[in-house]
Amino acid sequence: MSSLKMVNVNKVYPNGFHAVKDMNLEVKDNEFIVFVGPSGCGKSTALRMIAGLEEISEGELLIDDEVMNDVSPKDRDIAMVFQNYALYPHMTNYENMAFGLKLRKMPKEEIDKRVSEAASILGLTPILKNKPKQLSGGQRQRVALGRAIVRNPKVFLMDEPLSNLDAKLRVQTRAEISKLHQRLKTTFIYVTHDQTEAMTMGTRIVVLKDGVVMQVDSPKNLYDKPENKFVGGFIGSPQMNFINGKAVERGGEIILDYLGTSFTIDDERQTGLRETDYVNKEVTIGIRPEHLTVEITDEETDDTGIVEVTELLGSETYLFIKLKEETIVARVDPNLDLEVGNQVKIKMKKDKVHLFDVKSEESILHKARGSREK
């Protein structure tokens, strides 16, 4: 069993840059945790602190309830897979995979056994005698994975391991890493800036921004129940549309006014706005492109717009629609006969609308759920 805990972990560099701020995280045995966020958000720094490659400025790192702050990287029983593979070019693939075990003075029979097992799992057996320069990027990445597997570590750490691969290989290797996690039944912590990787691989995802944890949750909850505007916009592709609006009560119902038009929302959202005292206040409306319906219309009204750009992706089409001063993105069926210049009517699915505080950017529905639980 391998659990990992970060308690109020901070990283401050000598120049004063605060890379990671009060990070609290509990990783259970056999979880696949993904750190995701834009460049410079602190995800790789957090991973390197876990590995012991960066010193923790403040707070505690525990593995199996043992404080690791001052334990050297080699004694943490952690294996790390890097973005650039970090293979020795003069060694064969076998020697690269066996190198760490030889340093530990492990018996040759045990080394042979572990390397053979890892090579079999990763399909590397036929190329063990080759050197890294003779391999494709995907094969080199599998050798780097094999070098980590042979150590039987408590925790696997992976720092953007797929970023040097082409699109097809990324998809293939992504699936291989997920299968590897299921087979090894070990804790994985994985860093990526690619939210598709995060959503498809992680049992839980840690979303970071400017060194601060924005939300830790399952992929489904991050998509359906973002706790703030940043998470709502970061998770999902194309990203969520954001529109300034106002929650107004009319005839006993709460209506959203935006861009000169009005929109009725469902009971859950009306209740949330009432409970958090947002009636007759400005709000930020969030709606995902896939939760918009679009139809051609000859009638010019406040909720009609003009299609400015179409992007056909085969199984779906992205429409960029000019609605007053805003550009709204909709994801629609490619069979819809829509082209640039069409006038269209846009409708939001009322049970899929997200509402955020204009200043704090916190989700109003999340706020309402939190107040109910107290």
Side-chain angles (χ1 to χ4, degrees):
M1 298 288 284
S2 305
S3 62
L4 181 144
K5 193 185 287 187
M6 301 176 81
V7 183
N8 298 325
V9 168
N10 286 265
K11 177 63 186 179
V12 184
Y13 287 99
N15 65 1
F17 178 62
H18 204 157
V20 176
K21 302 167 186 173
D22 289 325
M23 188 167 183
N24 288 283
L25 178 67
E26 191 163 347
V27 182
K28 295 173 186 151
D29 182 54
N30 195 27
E31 273 203 284
F32 197 128
I33 294 287
V34 181
F35 291 170
V36 71
S39 295
C41 71
K43 53 189 184 294
S44 289
T45 304
L47 195 80
R48 290 171 65 81
M49 284 193 286
I50 294 170
L53 303 176
E54 291 276 6
E55 189 178 331
I56 294 171
S57 306
E58 192 180 320
E60 284 186 335
L61 169 73
L62 298 95
I63 298 177
D64 290 340
D65 296 322
E66 194 177 328
V67 178
M68 290 283 149
N69 291 42
D70 299 321
V71 176
S72 68
K74 66 182 178 63
D75 296 323
R76 293 190 182 197
D77 202 5
I78 279 173
M80 190 154 178
V81 179
F82 296 92
Q83 179 180 341
N84 61 358
Y85 319 131
L87 300 175
Y88 296 107
H90 63 285
M91 292 184 183
T92 65
N93 298 323
Y94 176 95
E95 289 166 339
N96 265 289
M97 290 168 68
F99 185 68
L101 304 182
K102 285 181 179 176
L103 286 181
R104 293 181 177 187
K105 307 208 181 314
M106 192 172 282
K108 186 176 183 309
E109 298 76 23
E110 181 63 19
I111 292 174
D112 281 342
K113 181 186 170 196
R114 290 197 184 191
V115 172
S116 296
E117 284 176 357
S120 176
I121 289 169
L122 295 166
L124 295 172
T125 306
I127 56 171
L128 283 177
K129 293 180 181 176
N130 294 12
K131 291 186 177 177
K133 67 179 179 182
Q134 298 169 279
L135 307 182
S136 67
Q139 288 171 321
R140 287 180 200 177
Q141 192 55 273
R142 292 209 302 275
V143 173
L145 284 168
R147 184 179 53 194
I149 289 169
V150 296
R151 291 181 53 191
N152 291 336
K154 286 182 178 177
V155 182
F156 281 94
L157 305 179
M158 300 188 180
D159 191 5
E160 306 224 26
L162 309 185
S163 58
N164 289 336
L165 305 181
D166 62 41
K168 184 180 176 183
L169 261 179
R170 272 205 306 274
V171 173
Q172 182 184 324
T173 312
R174 193 168 76 205
E176 286 177 359
I177 291 173
S178 292
K179 285 191 282 186
L180 192 60
H181 172 250
Q182 291 163 17
R183 183 164 182 170
L184 296 178
K185 300 196 184 318
T186 310
T187 305
F188 277 47
I189 301 177
Y190 186 103
V191 161
T192 182
H193 64 274
D194 185 331
Q195 52 114 349
T196 302
E197 278 180 31
M199 294 291 280
T200 54
M201 298 172 81
T203 50
R204 282 193 302 152
I205 300 170
V206 181
V207 183
L208 289 132
K209 178 193 176 191
D210 299 332
V212 178
V213 174
M214 294 277 104
Q215 187 171 347
V216 182
D217 224 322
S218 67
K220 181 170 172 49
N221 280 346
L222 286 177
Y223 179 84
D224 290 335
K225 299 174 183 176
E227 293 178 6
N228 52 63
K229 185 180 172 185
F230 177 80
V231 174
F234 191 81
I235 299 296
S237 180
Q239 81 156 42
M240 186 182 284
N241 296 292
F242 296 109
I243 309 162
N244 294 326
K246 188 174 184 179
V248 181
E249 184 153 20
R250 292 197 193 110
E253 273 200 313
I254 298 178
I255 310 292
L256 294 180
D257 281 351
Y258 70 99
L259 301 178
T261 189
S262 295
F263 173 69
T264 308
I265 49 177
D266 67 354
D267 290 343
E268 182 190 359
R269 280 148 186 78
Q270 291 193 45
T271 301
L273 287 165
R274 281 200 177 90
E275 288 177 348
T276 50
D277 194 26
Y278 279 89
V279 180
N280 297 320
K281 288 184 181 175
E282 303 288 328
V283 295
T284 300
I285 302 165
I287 186 74
R288 296 196 182 279
E290 54 271 34
H291 297 148
L292 291 169
T293 57
V294 178
E295 56 186 46
I296 293 179
T297 180
D298 294 327
E299 185 186 356
E300 189 172 341
T301 59
D302 286 328
D303 57 353
T304 59
I306 303 296
V307 177
E308 291 192 314
V309 177
T310 66
E311 292 182 352
L312 175 64
L313 277 76
S315 61
E316 59 196 13
T317 296
Y318 298 163
L319 301 178
F320 293 77
I321 302 163
K322 191 73 173 177
L323 183 66
K324 298 284 177 60
E325 65 272 19
E326 299 284 343
T327 298
I328 309 292
V329 183
R331 191 164 84 179
V332 300
D333 189 305
N335 296 317
L336 282 176
D337 192 17
L338 290 164
E339 35 187 68
V340 172
N342 283 155
Q343 183 171 276
V344 293
K345 191 177 186 73
I346 301 172
K347 290 182 181 175
M348 300 183 193
K349 293 183 180 176
K350 59 176 67 178
D351 61 337
K352 298 294 183 182
V353 172
H354 299 269
L355 302 165
F356 302 97
D357 183 283
V358 173
K359 289 183 180 175
S360 72
E361 300 190 346
E362 183 185 358
S363 163
I364 293 168
L365 288 177
H366 174 67
K367 201 173 182 180
R369 290 185 201 107
S371 63
R372 282 180 216 136
E373 289 168 6
K374 285 179 182 176

